Amino acid sequence: MVTRADVARLAGVSTGTVSHVLTGARSIRPETRRKVLDAMEQLGYTPNAMASALAGGRSRIIAIVFPSQPRTIVGSDLEYVLAATEAARRRGYHVVLWTSGADDLNELRQLVRAGLVQGFLLMQVAMSDERVRFLRSAGIPVGLIGRTRAPGHVPFADADFEQIARLVVDHLAGLGHRTIGMLNAPYERGTRGIGAAVRFADAVRRTCEERKLGCTIVESQHTVRAGREALRELLEAAPGTTGVISYNWEATLGAMHEARALGRPIPERLSLVLCSNGEPESTDPELTTATPPATEIATAAVEALIDHLAAPEAEPAQRLVPSVLVERHSTAPAPGS
Amino acid sequence: MVTRADVARLAGVSTGTVSHVLTGARSIRPETRRKVLDAMEQLGYTPNAMASALAGGRSRIIAIVFPSQPRTIVGSDLEYVLAATEAARRRGYHVVLWTSGADDLNELRQLVRAGLVQGFLLMQVAMSDERVRFLRSAGIPVGLIGRTRAPGHVPFADADFEQIARLVVDHLAGLGHRTIGMLNAPYERGTRGIGAAVRFADAVRRTCEERKLGCTIVESQHTVRAGREALRELLEAAPGTTGVISYNWEATLGAMHEARALGRPIPERLSLVLCSNGEPESTDPELTTATPPATEIATAAVEALIDHLAAPEAEPAQRLVPSVLVERHSTAPAPGS
DNA sequence: TTGAAAGCGCTAACAA
DNA sequence: TTGTTAGCGCTTTCAA
């Protein structure tokens, strides 16, 4: 194994100098730097992560945490995980995926005490999230993908649901739709995306009110069948609905199915916009979307957390990431407009 | 921070003794053990993972690796990740999710050189997987979820596709189906589950031959639309098909859709069995399944790898995990039988 | 701009 | 059965 001492010896400098070349923490004579870099190159040196973690008190590892309660991580969550992993790597950090076995928040604290993990990135953040409270009060760094009702000084990145609601409602209104429906993700506490579901529903409702449009919201579990039932329920509650906003990919599949069965083909007799991550191009017709930009959100959240790790006293970054509307073939002018 | 020295002092023993109480590596007088455990309890001691990794030369971290090429981790893959994470934790290991940015196998070697990771668990293993060759030749411990064509002495756990094929084909044959179709995952190199797709297709084909049943295999991308097209293609190629085996969850959704559109309602005029992980209870009708037991496979693979880490010379564990058939409502007697 | 050296907290070999 | 101690490879302070 090649160690820092080997490099220092070959370069004819001290190990401290080698360290500083690596971290750039103090100015080095260009000539010295060259010698050191050459020596590292020549020896095929790789720094030992454990030694530097021990000596420096920083593991350069953060953990992504999913709630343990509903064991539902769906495909789209993975996009966040992957993006976060890569964003962390670009900053020289590693990511571990943590899924609390029980609701054992103490386990999380242990990870930090063990020096394994420097901080946590929480996914599926609830409006009022006990994990945030617990970790904050234990003095453990936390970042959010999503946000709580009152995020205070916690670094986070989330979709800008207000903006998405405007984007989508205006798109439908522009096509002449006057009665909007929404197929939401489940609201109930502990469920995937709960905070997001609440905020998005609020945003849609408010936007519709401002535009003087009808608005009916139903929720659906993340299954195809639930989606069918939810659409039926929606159209029974508000038969005049011609434009539907979905925040539930699996339910969307069921709704498309059901729309056809009910003689409301998409887009001729019912317009549909998907606002959750999914596979909009795999359906028939392809779905018009305005989805949360998962990669960008995850990246921003990771950077916010890592910056916060470096400067705990500074005001943490809090970002709402806007989306764009992509028109495909599931929206059309309202019937008879 | 509470260190081992604090515990030793309070317990009135040496730090070495504390270590041994923790690892159980040598026999300790029960009385001494008690004192030590009490002291740890009293002080709220948590061992420092970095220090023990550095001193012991073992990080107790393994990495799960997905191929970088097709960036397709789907929902069902997550089941493996979660199960592996928990199995590792039960053995005192942590798991990091690694997704190579480029096809940079060197990056993997770096992780080991840096002492961060002790070994790799590879997912989506191809029939001939260069990752395995590379890591093995670099002397790095590898375990597989899945298997290569010739796994040699690599620890692995995989679904017993021969057994699953028999289970499913016999189920359909028992219902009077004489012409079987298969909706496979994509075969082509580098794609998700490729090795598995090849082996499962082979097993189904062979079993059908033995039972003197017709057998047509089509493959489909992992999208709903591709599934619709694949079913149509299948029924055009073999119009007499009455029983379909699917190894592709997303495509199954499309196929169910298409079956109805073609006037072949499930299960009355077409039986369908799902053999990949998915959500069989969310469709209408609910799907009869014989799916790879993801949790058990991942757990077995993790244990095989960890055992291998401990005893590199020993013969590694290699397990084929059988499945069970769960009858729901997507299979019925063949029409006219 | 650089070097020397004292740890970081733990493991494990050796001694008792 | 238990204690002592020399590292593990790196960071960082203090001096030069």
Side-chain angles (χ1 to χ4, degrees), chain A residues 212-248:
Chain A
K212 310 255 183 284
L213 304 174
C215 179
T216 310
I217 300 181
V218 298
E219 53 183 296
S220 163
Q221 293 299 316
H222 288 282
T223 69
V224 178
R225 167 184 291 180
R228 302 187 61 165
E229 286 156 10
L231 184 72
R232 194 167 328 126
E233 180 191 339
L234 175 61
L235 293 180
E236 274 166 15
T241 302
T242 59
V244 173
I245 297 168
S246 170
Y247 186 59
N248 183 328

Side-chain angles (χ1 to χ4, degrees), chain B residues 6 51 66 94 141 144 175-176 211 231:
Chain B
D6 299 320
F66 284 83
H94 294 286
L144 312 178
L175 289 167
R211 310 291 195 266
L231 184 72

Side-chain angles (χ1 to χ4, degrees), chain B residues 14 17 26-29 32 55:
Chain B
S14 73
T17 301
R26 79 184 181 194
S27 53
I28 304 276
R29 188 143 50 93
T32 310

Side-chain angles (χ1 to χ4, degrees), chain A residues 14 17 26-29 32 55:
Chain A
S14 73
T17 300
R26 79 182 179 194
S27 54
I28 304 276
R29 188 144 48 93
T32 310

